[in-house]
Amino acid sequence: TGQGGYTTTMTVSEGFDWDNGGWQTDSEGNSYFCVKAGDRMILDYPLFDELNDKINSTMTYGKNFKLTYKAVNCREMKAPVMKCLHTTTSMVENEETGEMEEVIISTGIDMNAQDAIIYAGGGKLEIPYCEDERISLEVNIQKYSTKDEDINNNANQMLVYIDSDPSRMTLYSTPSALAQQVVQPITFGSDTCDVHIYRFKAYDAALSDEDILANHIAEAPNAEEMIARFERNNFMKDGEIDVTTLSQL
């Protein structure tokens, strides 16, 4: 049961390959959930449900979600990995011709083997990366506000991190820009690649930069990598910023 009072369940597609898929262990001893090509795993977590009173409002708290995964055995660049997307159409007036035109509006996220696209308010944010690598993609959405003091303190920002490093940023205009009119489940899997899911986390509030970094260090696949991540981000010396170390990061 989530913080907002909802219960999340996991289901899999009919005929799911539990022999080669499901819970597996990689060569480094790390556990992951494998969705083989042709199969699907579905979570009914309401990732873009801003109209449900049981969900903490983005206007008040923001939100955060993170997927650590690896796409392997890809047969196409756009092999799907994770999707939580709703598409609808709307009639809008063409400013040049004055005629009404049908416009497709999508809300949610569409992750593929080599990129991810976040759709909000009729716009989109594209994030490129590489297949066949273990990747942590995190979306941190700050609370919505029209107050100047909040706007100056990162309100209305949507920031995407790759392995805890800021990658892309945009502003959203209103909480309704993140609301799916028909709330969709989260679907993992593809017909053209295997998806290894190491971790999926979602919060009903935005995280601070310190929280994001602390989670990244704690979620390292082994002790050596945990130490490396800590040292990579440790630019303090005797309680002060070490400019020399900082310049080498």
Side-chain angles (χ1 to χ4, degrees), residues 1-240:
T1 301
Q3 181 177 343
Y6 44 83
T7 299
T8 300
T9 58
M10 183 190 83
T11 57
V12 297
S13 54
E14 184 177 359
F16 189 89
D17 184 355
W18 288 105
D19 292 329
N20 300 296
W23 290 109
Q24 304 287 334
T25 303
D26 66 16
S27 59
E28 297 180 351
N30 299 301
S31 297
Y32 63 92
F33 191 90
C34 177
V35 184
K36 297 294 290 183
D39 289 338
R40 300 292 187 272
M41 187 266 280
I42 302 99
L43 293 179
D44 65 353
Y45 181 85
L47 202 56
F48 293 93
D49 185 4
E50 294 305 312
L51 306 180
N52 188 336
D53 291 338
K54 293 189 296 182
I55 307 301
N56 286 329
S57 172
T58 300
M59 182 175 292
T60 305
Y61 301 104
K63 65 172 57 179
N64 175 287
F65 59 91
K66 178 179 184 178
L67 175 66
T68 301
Y69 79 97
K70 187 176 183 180
V72 300
N73 302 323
C74 296
R75 300 197 297 272
E76 63 170 331
M77 294 175 58
K78 285 290 186 179
V81 170
M82 182 189 94
K83 178 176 288 188
C84 180
L85 193 66
H86 178 255
T87 299
T88 186
T89 58
S90 178
M91 298 301 294
V92 299
E93 182 178 350
N94 186 303
E95 295 181 356
E96 295 182 358
T97 66
E99 297 180 355
M100 300 300 292
E101 296 180 348
E102 186 178 71
V103 175
I104 298 176
I105 300 176
S106 298
T107 304
I109 184 169
D110 188 6
M111 293 182 62
N112 300 302
Q114 293 195 346
D115 67 3
I117 304 176
I118 301 173
Y119 297 88
K124 64 181 180 179
L125 184 64
E126 300 185 51
I127 308 100
Y129 44 77
C130 297
E131 65 182 82
D132 209 29
E133 293 183 3
R134 177 169 165 160
I135 294 171
S136 290
L137 185 143
E138 185 165 7
V139 180
N140 198 47
I141 303 172
Q142 297 290 343
K143 71 176 184 178
Y144 177 79
S145 178
T146 58
K147 298 179 181 179
D148 289 340
E149 60 267 30
D150 290 335
I151 294 174
N152 292 332
N153 195 30
N154 301 329
N156 311 339
Q157 284 188 5
M158 182 190 300
L159 188 57
V160 181
Y161 297 78
I162 299 292
D163 296 331
S164 85
D165 293 328
S167 175
R168 294 287 190 276
M169 191 276 286
T170 189
L171 299 175
Y172 65 97
S173 57
T174 171
S176 64
L178 302 170
Q180 294 177 340
Q181 294 184 14
V182 179
V183 179
Q184 300 297 304
I186 306 168
T187 301
F188 301 89
S190 169
D191 289 336
T192 53
C193 78
D194 301 336
V195 180
H196 296 180
I197 305 167
Y198 286 89
R199 182 176 289 105
F200 177 76
K201 302 171 71 174
Y203 298 89
D204 293 332
L207 300 186
S208 67
D209 291 339
E210 292 79 8
D211 292 334
I212 290 171
L213 178 57
N215 284 345
H216 181 63
I217 294 172
E219 294 166 0
N222 52 60
E224 291 78 9
E225 177 62 18
M226 184 179 295
I227 293 172
R229 290 182 181 183
F230 174 79
E231 292 181 344
R232 174 174 174 261
N233 291 279
N234 182 21
F235 49 82
M236 303 297 290
K237 184 176 182 180
D238 299 328
E240 298 181 354

